[in-house]
Amino acid sequence: MSSVPANSLAQVASILDPNTTVSINDKISTLRTFASTLNDSLTMERSVEILNKIPLGLFYNGFSVENDQLTIILCELINKILHPFSYAMIVSSENKPFLIQGLTHFTPEIRYLSLNQVFKCLSSDASLTNMLESDIFPLVVASIAFQDTKTANKACDLLYKMASTKIGQNAFFNGTCITMLKQLLKINGTVSFRVYDLIIKVAILSDETFERCESSGLLTDFIQELESDDLLIKINAMELLNEIAVTSSGITFLEKANLLSNISAVLDNEDDSDIAVQLVKCAVLKFIGHLGANETIDFGALSERYQLLERIEKCLDSSNIEILIVSLSTVGLVGSHVNGLKLISQKNSLLTKFFENQTSVGQVKAVFLQSLSKLLLVRNQNDKEIETLTLSYYNRLEGQPSALLSLIKEAKQPEDHIRIAAFAVMQAIACHIWGSEMMAQSNEFMNYILNRTTEYTEQGQSWKYAIIQTLASAPNAVQLFSHHSYYTQLQVYIRQGAHYRIIEPVAAVENS
């Protein structure tokens, strides 16, 4: 690979000289041209060649001129030139002052550039230890409070990756870091939730890190946010709870802190016309749905202890559309796996209220169908109870002349959300032996699903193709679809692909 032209380097060095009279526009133009000659993965040889002609200090000196375009192109150049440098080289005596300058700079692009260089410390235990024991570490922690979200998130990501290592964990939970994080909580709501988000991500790395986060007191601070009178803070805190609830230690913490009891009690408030009640109820229902969808959690025991399914059932009676929609979605999440499906099957009154929504319209109908598809999609051919349950759920569907043909009518609706939901239910039905047998026996259904001219949307074409693939892969597909040459048509459809178009011949008519 050829080296950078000497005249090009001399020109860049000249325009970066503090005493130059070159205009800012000319500087930007020259630097952009220079940047275009460099790829994103320079060799060490080329980087050293450039810095021998243009010291790093000249590039950083360019930041003294407050011009966004100039700053961006300088950051791009520095990032490219420093690409092959190891962390040890970045923090060498000659380069570290520039790194510190960037980590304390008020400009987002410059701070982000420096954080990106600090990421190199993750390459080895020695480099990470070097960073953690230096004055760079507190500057990274402080960057969580930076006004630019992208830059602040970069700092959070670095701290999270650091805490994913044993060396980093010890530094994360030492007095200095925890003290700084607690100070950051006092700045404002935006910064505090960045801290909570980071703490929760670290907490769920393992049971050990969860216990250390709990011991730090930061999770206790988070609980206070859940009890806040500020609606937005409370809802944001509820969103973060979803991450806590993915580990056994997380569930233990929620119970020990009496959070599950307090949270579920929110659903008992009957004033659904109050916007605050509505929003918090929806957040709680989403949290419960997240819990129920997690197969590693004994949701049945939690439900019994805190009457979760009974409370969801009451919410299915709500006259508030938003609460009803989230309640329907929650049922689908809870019943989206074998244990959850068996659990809700024991609640016939809940299922009765759930299926009452099949006669709804609009968004409620779409969410009902989507949730039903999750229930019907559960399968375990070695578990006859699951096959029996899913068939019983299908049999609860109303339809003239059949539920299957009613789904075709829904799939022809102009509203995309209902069409897609109807296809999702068809796909779930096709996954079961009882479903493929039912579909095979319906000539009207088979003619619809195999007819390309009845579906012009790309999403619909993809759904049809997925259903046909599922039917063709049934264990007894050859026998099931032997009549009317359906099996042959299924194979042809699969070979042609989802978006195959039938081209109608057009006769050319000569003008007289």
Side-chain angles (χ1 to χ4, degrees):
M1 185 178 292
S2 61
S3 62
V4 180
N7 59 342
S8 175
L9 294 178
Q11 184 183 18
V12 172
S14 173
I15 64 112
L16 288 176
D17 188 301
N19 299 316
T20 184
T21 57
V22 175
S23 70
I24 290 178
N25 287 340
D26 285 344
K27 279 186 180 182
I28 293 169
S29 177
T30 301
L31 292 173
R32 280 179 176 164
T33 301
F34 178 54
S36 68
T37 67
L38 308 178
N39 60 40
D40 293 329
S41 301
L42 289 183
T43 63
M44 180 64 72
E45 181 184 8
R46 294 192 74 188
S47 289
V48 170
E49 176 191 1
I50 294 169
L51 292 176
N52 281 338
K53 297 287 186 181
I54 319 170
L56 193 58
L58 278 182
F59 289 101
Y60 274 85
N61 181 70
F63 293 140
S64 60
V65 179
E66 293 186 19
N67 180 283
D68 291 344
Q69 292 184 346
L70 181 60
T71 296
I72 290 170
I73 191 62
L74 283 170
C75 286
E76 179 187 343
L77 278 168
I78 293 170
N79 197 49
K80 285 185 175 184
I81 294 168
L82 295 183
H83 172 77
F85 279 39
S86 65
Y87 182 73
M89 296 174 71
I90 294 293
V91 294
S92 65
S93 58
E94 59 181 327
N95 292 328
K96 185 177 177 181
F98 301 117
L99 182 67
I100 298 295
Q101 178 184 334
L103 289 172
T104 54
H105 210 284
F106 60 87
T107 303
E109 290 81 9
I110 301 174
R111 182 80 67 102
Y112 189 91
L113 167 71
S114 292
L115 286 169
N116 198 43
Q117 297 306 317
V118 180
F119 260 80
K120 293 177 179 179
C121 75
L122 298 170
S123 62
S124 70
D125 287 350
S127 294
L128 181 56
T129 300
N130 182 324
M131 191 278 285
L132 294 172
E133 294 178 352
S134 73
D135 51 350
I136 292 171
F137 182 36
L139 294 177
V140 172
V141 178
S143 292
I144 294 175
F146 196 64
Q147 74 271 17
D148 177 66
T149 301
K150 178 185 174 183
T151 306
N153 287 342
K154 188 74 172 177
C156 290
D157 190 35
L158 176 55
L159 291 167
Y160 169 72
K161 285 183 168 61
M162 175 202 83
S164 301
T165 69
K166 191 64 180 176
I167 295 172
Q169 269 178 38
N170 291 333
F172 188 88
F173 291 108
N174 75 15
T176 301
C177 184
I178 293 299
T179 299
M180 286 191 69
L181 291 174
K182 288 188 174 182
Q183 288 297 320
L184 293 176
L185 289 177
K186 300 176 182 179
I187 296 177
N188 57 46
T190 299
V191 175
S192 64
F193 272 92
R194 286 177 191 162
V195 174
Y196 291 136
D197 186 55
L198 173 62
I199 282 292
I200 288 169
K201 285 178 179 175
V202 172
I204 63 177
L205 284 170
S206 68
D207 286 347
E208 179 188 355
T209 55
F210 196 98
E211 290 170 4
R212 296 183 79 171
C213 283
E214 186 180 359
S215 299
S216 74
L218 286 166
L219 286 178
T220 303
D221 293 331
F222 171 65
I223 291 174
Q224 293 175 358
E225 303 286 13
L226 284 166
E227 298 168 351
S228 170
D229 293 330
D230 188 308
L231 181 62
L232 185 59
I233 289 177
K234 199 181 189 81
I235 291 173
N236 285 339
M238 285 296 309
E239 290 290 330
L240 291 180
L241 271 187
N242 292 331
E243 297 182 46
I244 288 182
V246 299
T247 64
S248 57
S249 55
I251 295 296
T252 301
F253 170 77
L254 293 177
E255 292 198 81
K256 188 166 66 175
N258 206 32
L259 280 176
L260 286 175
S261 177
N262 293 339
I263 290 168
S264 56
V266 169
L267 300 180
D268 296 335
N269 191 324
E270 297 181 355
D271 188 11
D272 290 352
S273 60
D274 185 291
I275 185 64
V277 173
Q278 172 192 326
L279 291 173
V280 177
K281 266 193 173 185
C282 286
V284 170
L285 285 165
K286 288 175 183 177
F287 170 69
I288 293 174
H290 186 80
L291 275 182
N294 190 338
E295 296 183 58
T296 64
I297 291 174
D298 186 357
F299 184 77
L302 293 177
S303 177
E304 184 176 353
R305 195 171 303 137
Y306 302 105
Q307 296 81 51
L308 299 182
L309 288 181
E310 287 77 9
R311 283 168 158 152
I312 293 171
E313 181 180 331
K314 287 182 181 178
C315 289
L316 287 171
D317 272 335
S318 177
S319 58
N320 183 283
I321 296 298
E322 293 301 320
I323 293 175
L324 174 58
I325 284 174
V326 180
S327 301
L328 289 169
S329 181
T330 301
V331 173
L333 289 169
V334 172
S336 63
H337 51 87
V338 170
N339 290 335
L341 191 73
K342 290 181 178 180
L343 181 65
I344 65 171
S345 71
Q346 300 166 13
K347 305 291 182 181
N348 192 58
S349 57
L350 180 149
L351 285 172
T352 297
K353 289 182 180 179
F354 175 77
F355 277 96
E356 284 174 358
N357 290 280
Q358 64 181 294
T359 57
S360 301
V361 295
Q363 189 65 29
V364 175
K365 178 64 169 282
V367 174
F368 164 77
L369 290 173
Q370 286 286 6
S371 295
L372 176 62
S373 72
K374 288 183 172 66
L375 304 182
L376 294 177
L377 200 56
V378 179
R379 52 180 173 163
N380 185 339
Q381 294 181 1
N382 297 322
D383 190 338
K384 292 184 178 179
E385 182 184 357
I386 291 298
E387 292 299 296
T388 301
L389 283 177
T390 50
L391 177 57
S392 71
Y393 290 170
Y394 170 79
N395 287 333
R396 282 177 177 254
L397 284 175
E398 300 172 3
Q400 295 296 330
S402 70
L404 194 60
L405 297 184
S406 290
L407 286 171
I408 292 177
K409 294 177 183 176
E410 300 293 356
K412 293 179 179 179
Q413 294 295 319
E415 297 90 351
D416 281 346
H417 54 290
I418 293 180
R419 289 161 52 79
I420 291 168
F423 278 124
V425 175
M426 291 183 204
Q427 167 71 338
I429 292 170
C431 288
H432 296 279
I433 292 176
W434 59 261
S436 55
E437 289 176 349
M438 190 181 300
M439 288 174 167
Q441 292 166 10
S442 172
N443 291 332
E444 190 170 345
F445 177 82
M446 292 305 299
N447 289 333
Y448 165 74
I449 208 72
L450 287 164
N451 189 343
R452 291 184 181 274
T453 62
T454 61
E455 185 55 58
Y456 293 104
T457 68
E458 285 194 9
Q459 281 185 317
Q461 291 164 3
S462 297
W463 273 109
K464 273 193 172 186
Y465 187 74
I467 294 166
I468 285 170
Q469 282 184 309
T470 302
L471 292 175
S473 64
N476 55 344
V478 177
Q479 292 77 20
L480 277 179
F481 300 102
S482 58
H483 57 296
H484 298 295
S485 302
Y486 286 144
Y487 187 75
T488 301
Q489 292 181 62
L490 290 174
Q491 297 302 316
V492 169
Y493 202 116
I494 291 171
R495 283 198 305 273
Q496 291 175 337
H499 305 294
Y500 176 81
R501 290 278 187 172
I502 298 173
I503 306 299
E504 297 289 345
V506 179
V509 179
E510 200 173 295
N511 289 331
S512 55

